[in-house]
Every structure is written in structure tokens, then in C-alpha cells.
Amino acid sequence: MTHKLHTIGVAARLGPYSDAVEARPNQRWLFTSGTPGMAADGTLPPDITLQAELAWGHILKMLAAADMSVTDLIKITQYLVRADDIAAYAKVRARMLGEARPASMLMVVAALPRPDFLLEIEAIAARS
């Protein structure tokens, strides 16, 4: 891990993330755009689990392309359109992140750019 986790005790009571993450000096940074759960051919699965798996798969591919992994994630921002999907989404996220604990924000929003998008994920990573 090339960054330092800071805890004040709040995140530990709410979920698998860190209260704050500090990047070390002179690191390379990767910022992803909002990434939906859409397949490369443009198809979009109808349920949150499959969309979450695709979106996280895209994030993992972007990290790999930059010679990074989930342990290099500094911050993730997740947007869901239905609060009822939080539990199913959290299972996919936990499986994809393993023991990685980036700083995290999850929001339930009224809409995303397409009405069939159930989520989008943004990620920021840093590595020496």
C-alpha cells in the first residue's frame, strides 16, 4: 500500500472503508470518470448486481491499465438511483475490494444520465 489510512472511528461503525486516506508525496494519480455498469457492446443488464459487477470490472481494468490495483484506491464515489439496491450493491463492492479500504461516499440520487443506469462509480487511485 502506498498511502496511509487515518481513522477517527466513524467508518469502522458504518462499513468497510476508511475515514480518510493520505497519499504519499510524488505519486502517480488515476482519476476515473463516472463508470456505469454497461457492457462494452452497449448492453445494460436489468439488475443492480450485474450492473455493479460490470462497473467494478471496468474500474479494475482501468486500475490494471495504469499498473495499479484496488489497494491503490484513495477515494471512491458511488451513485445509486434506488436505496433498496444498497445491500445488493454492497455485496458486490465487498467482493471486488476485498480488504482495500479507500475513503468512500455513497449517494442515492434521483437520476443518472440514462434512465436505465442503476449506478455509476468514480474512483481515485495513487501509486508510487
Short mmCIF file of all heavy atoms in Angstrom, two decimals, residues 22-48:
data_model
loop_
_atom_site.label_atom_id
_atom_site.label_comp_id
_atom_site.label_asym_id
_atom_site.label_seq_id
_atom_site.Cartn_x
_atom_site.Cartn_y
_atom_site.Cartn_z
N GLU A 22 -4.48 9.22 3.11
CA GLU A 22 -3.46 10.20 2.75
C GLU A 22 -2.53 9.62 1.69
O GLU A 22 -1.95 8.56 1.88
CB GLU A 22 -2.64 10.56 3.99
CG GLU A 22 -1.53 11.54 3.74
CD GLU A 22 -0.72 11.81 5.00
OE1 GLU A 22 -1.07 11.29 6.08
OE2 GLU A 22 0.27 12.54 4.89
N ALA A 23 -2.40 10.31 0.57
CA ALA A 23 -1.47 9.89 -0.48
C ALA A 23 -0.07 10.35 -0.11
O ALA A 23 0.11 11.41 0.49
CB ALA A 23 -1.88 10.47 -1.82
N ARG A 24 0.91 9.56 -0.46
CA ARG A 24 2.31 9.91 -0.20
C ARG A 24 2.79 10.91 -1.25
O ARG A 24 2.22 10.99 -2.34
CB ARG A 24 3.17 8.64 -0.26
CG ARG A 24 2.72 7.52 0.66
CD ARG A 24 3.14 7.76 2.06
NE ARG A 24 2.76 6.58 2.87
CZ ARG A 24 2.72 6.60 4.17
NH1 ARG A 24 3.03 7.68 4.84
NH2 ARG A 24 2.36 5.54 4.85
N PRO A 25 3.86 11.62 -0.98
CA PRO A 25 4.40 12.57 -1.98
C PRO A 25 4.88 11.85 -3.24
O PRO A 25 5.25 10.67 -3.19
CB PRO A 25 5.59 13.21 -1.26
CG PRO A 25 5.36 12.96 0.19
CD PRO A 25 4.58 11.67 0.28
N ASN A 26 4.86 12.56 -4.35
CA ASN A 26 5.42 12.09 -5.62
C ASN A 26 4.78 10.82 -6.16
O ASN A 26 5.46 9.95 -6.69
CB ASN A 26 6.93 11.91 -5.51
CG ASN A 26 7.62 13.19 -5.10
OD1 ASN A 26 7.33 14.26 -5.63
ND2 ASN A 26 8.51 13.11 -4.13
N GLN A 27 3.48 10.70 -6.02
CA GLN A 27 2.79 9.54 -6.55
C GLN A 27 2.14 9.85 -7.90
O GLN A 27 1.85 11.01 -8.21
CB GLN A 27 1.71 9.05 -5.57
CG GLN A 27 2.31 8.48 -4.31
CD GLN A 27 1.27 7.78 -3.47
OE1 GLN A 27 0.21 8.31 -3.18
NE2 GLN A 27 1.58 6.56 -3.07
N ARG A 28 1.91 8.79 -8.68
CA ARG A 28 1.12 8.90 -9.90
C ARG A 28 -0.35 8.82 -9.49
O ARG A 28 -0.70 8.04 -8.61
CB ARG A 28 1.41 7.74 -10.86
CG ARG A 28 2.80 7.68 -11.39
CD ARG A 28 3.01 6.51 -12.35
NE ARG A 28 2.76 5.21 -11.72
CZ ARG A 28 1.73 4.39 -12.02
NH1 ARG A 28 0.85 4.72 -12.94
NH2 ARG A 28 1.59 3.24 -11.40
N TRP A 29 -1.20 9.58 -10.14
CA TRP A 29 -2.63 9.61 -9.81
C TRP A 29 -3.45 9.10 -10.98
O TRP A 29 -3.12 9.37 -12.13
CB TRP A 29 -3.05 11.04 -9.48
CG TRP A 29 -2.50 11.52 -8.17
CD1 TRP A 29 -1.26 12.05 -7.96
CD2 TRP A 29 -3.15 11.50 -6.91
NE1 TRP A 29 -1.11 12.37 -6.63
CE2 TRP A 29 -2.27 12.05 -5.97
CE3 TRP A 29 -4.41 11.10 -6.50
CZ2 TRP A 29 -2.60 12.19 -4.63
CZ3 TRP A 29 -4.74 11.25 -5.16
CH2 TRP A 29 -3.83 11.77 -4.25
N LEU A 30 -4.55 8.43 -10.66
CA LEU A 30 -5.51 7.99 -11.67
C LEU A 30 -6.89 8.44 -11.22
O LEU A 30 -7.30 8.15 -10.09
CB LEU A 30 -5.49 6.46 -11.81
CG LEU A 30 -6.51 5.87 -12.78
CD1 LEU A 30 -6.11 6.19 -14.22
CD2 LEU A 30 -6.64 4.37 -12.59
N PHE A 31 -7.59 9.16 -12.08
CA PHE A 31 -8.95 9.61 -11.82
C PHE A 31 -9.85 8.99 -12.87
O PHE A 31 -9.63 9.20 -14.07
CB PHE A 31 -9.05 11.15 -11.94
CG PHE A 31 -8.22 11.89 -10.93
CD1 PHE A 31 -6.88 12.12 -11.15
CD2 PHE A 31 -8.81 12.37 -9.77
CE1 PHE A 31 -6.11 12.82 -10.23
CE2 PHE A 31 -8.05 13.08 -8.84
CZ PHE A 31 -6.70 13.30 -9.07
N THR A 32 -10.84 8.23 -12.46
CA THR A 32 -11.76 7.67 -13.45
C THR A 32 -12.98 8.57 -13.60
O THR A 32 -13.34 9.30 -12.68
CB THR A 32 -12.25 6.26 -13.07
OG1 THR A 32 -13.18 6.34 -11.98
CG2 THR A 32 -11.09 5.34 -12.72
N SER A 33 -13.60 8.48 -14.75
CA SER A 33 -14.89 9.13 -14.95
C SER A 33 -15.96 8.32 -14.27
O SER A 33 -15.71 7.18 -13.83
CB SER A 33 -15.19 9.20 -16.45
OG SER A 33 -14.24 10.01 -17.11
N GLY A 34 -17.16 8.86 -14.19
CA GLY A 34 -18.28 8.07 -13.70
C GLY A 34 -18.44 6.85 -14.60
O GLY A 34 -18.52 6.99 -15.82
N THR A 35 -18.45 5.68 -14.01
CA THR A 35 -18.45 4.44 -14.77
C THR A 35 -19.72 3.65 -14.49
O THR A 35 -19.92 3.17 -13.37
CB THR A 35 -17.21 3.59 -14.38
OG1 THR A 35 -16.03 4.39 -14.58
CG2 THR A 35 -17.12 2.33 -15.20
N PRO A 36 -20.59 3.51 -15.49
CA PRO A 36 -21.82 2.74 -15.30
C PRO A 36 -21.56 1.24 -15.49
O PRO A 36 -20.50 0.84 -15.95
CB PRO A 36 -22.74 3.27 -16.40
CG PRO A 36 -21.79 3.65 -17.50
CD PRO A 36 -20.54 4.14 -16.81
N GLY A 37 -22.57 0.45 -15.20
CA GLY A 37 -22.49 -0.99 -15.37
C GLY A 37 -22.95 -1.42 -16.74
O GLY A 37 -23.86 -2.25 -16.87
N MET A 38 -22.35 -0.86 -17.77
CA MET A 38 -22.72 -1.14 -19.15
C MET A 38 -21.63 -1.99 -19.80
O MET A 38 -20.44 -1.72 -19.61
CB MET A 38 -22.89 0.16 -19.92
CG MET A 38 -23.34 -0.02 -21.34
SD MET A 38 -23.84 1.52 -22.17
CE MET A 38 -22.55 2.65 -21.75
N ALA A 39 -22.03 -3.00 -20.55
CA ALA A 39 -21.08 -3.86 -21.24
C ALA A 39 -20.42 -3.09 -22.40
O ALA A 39 -20.95 -2.08 -22.87
CB ALA A 39 -21.78 -5.10 -21.77
N ALA A 40 -19.28 -3.59 -22.86
CA ALA A 40 -18.55 -2.94 -23.95
C ALA A 40 -19.38 -2.83 -25.22
O ALA A 40 -19.18 -1.91 -26.02
CB ALA A 40 -17.25 -3.69 -24.21
N ASP A 41 -20.32 -3.75 -25.42
CA ASP A 41 -21.16 -3.70 -26.62
C ASP A 41 -22.36 -2.77 -26.45
O ASP A 41 -23.23 -2.68 -27.32
CB ASP A 41 -21.62 -5.10 -27.02
CG ASP A 41 -22.55 -5.75 -26.00
OD1 ASP A 41 -22.91 -5.11 -24.99
OD2 ASP A 41 -22.91 -6.93 -26.22
N GLY A 42 -22.45 -2.08 -25.31
CA GLY A 42 -23.52 -1.12 -25.08
C GLY A 42 -24.74 -1.69 -24.37
O GLY A 42 -25.65 -0.94 -24.03
N THR A 43 -24.75 -3.00 -24.13
CA THR A 43 -25.89 -3.57 -23.43
C THR A 43 -25.81 -3.26 -21.95
O THR A 43 -24.72 -3.06 -21.39
CB THR A 43 -25.99 -5.10 -23.64
OG1 THR A 43 -24.77 -5.70 -23.17
CG2 THR A 43 -26.21 -5.44 -25.11
N LEU A 44 -26.96 -3.22 -21.32
CA LEU A 44 -27.05 -2.88 -19.91
C LEU A 44 -27.92 -3.91 -19.21
O LEU A 44 -29.09 -4.05 -19.54
CB LEU A 44 -27.68 -1.48 -19.78
CG LEU A 44 -27.48 -0.76 -18.47
CD1 LEU A 44 -26.03 -0.37 -18.28
CD2 LEU A 44 -28.34 0.47 -18.44
N PRO A 45 -27.35 -4.67 -18.26
CA PRO A 45 -28.16 -5.64 -17.53
C PRO A 45 -29.27 -4.94 -16.76
O PRO A 45 -29.12 -3.78 -16.36
CB PRO A 45 -27.17 -6.29 -16.56
CG PRO A 45 -25.82 -5.95 -17.05
CD PRO A 45 -25.96 -4.65 -17.80
N PRO A 46 -30.37 -5.65 -16.51
CA PRO A 46 -31.51 -5.01 -15.85
C PRO A 46 -31.42 -4.93 -14.34
O PRO A 46 -32.22 -4.23 -13.72
CB PRO A 46 -32.68 -5.90 -16.26
CG PRO A 46 -32.06 -7.25 -16.46
CD PRO A 46 -30.69 -6.98 -17.00
N ASP A 47 -30.44 -5.62 -13.71
CA ASP A 47 -30.43 -5.62 -12.25
C ASP A 47 -29.15 -5.04 -11.68
O ASP A 47 -28.12 -4.98 -12.34
CB ASP A 47 -30.70 -7.03 -11.69
CG ASP A 47 -29.56 -7.99 -11.93
OD1 ASP A 47 -28.56 -7.91 -11.19
OD2 ASP A 47 -29.66 -8.81 -12.85
N ILE A 48 -29.23 -4.63 -10.43
CA ILE A 48 -28.13 -3.93 -9.77
C ILE A 48 -26.89 -4.80 -9.61
O ILE A 48 -25.77 -4.32 -9.77
CB ILE A 48 -28.57 -3.34 -8.39
CG1 ILE A 48 -27.48 -2.43 -7.81
CG2 ILE A 48 -28.93 -4.44 -7.42
CD1 ILE A 48 -27.20 -1.18 -8.61
#
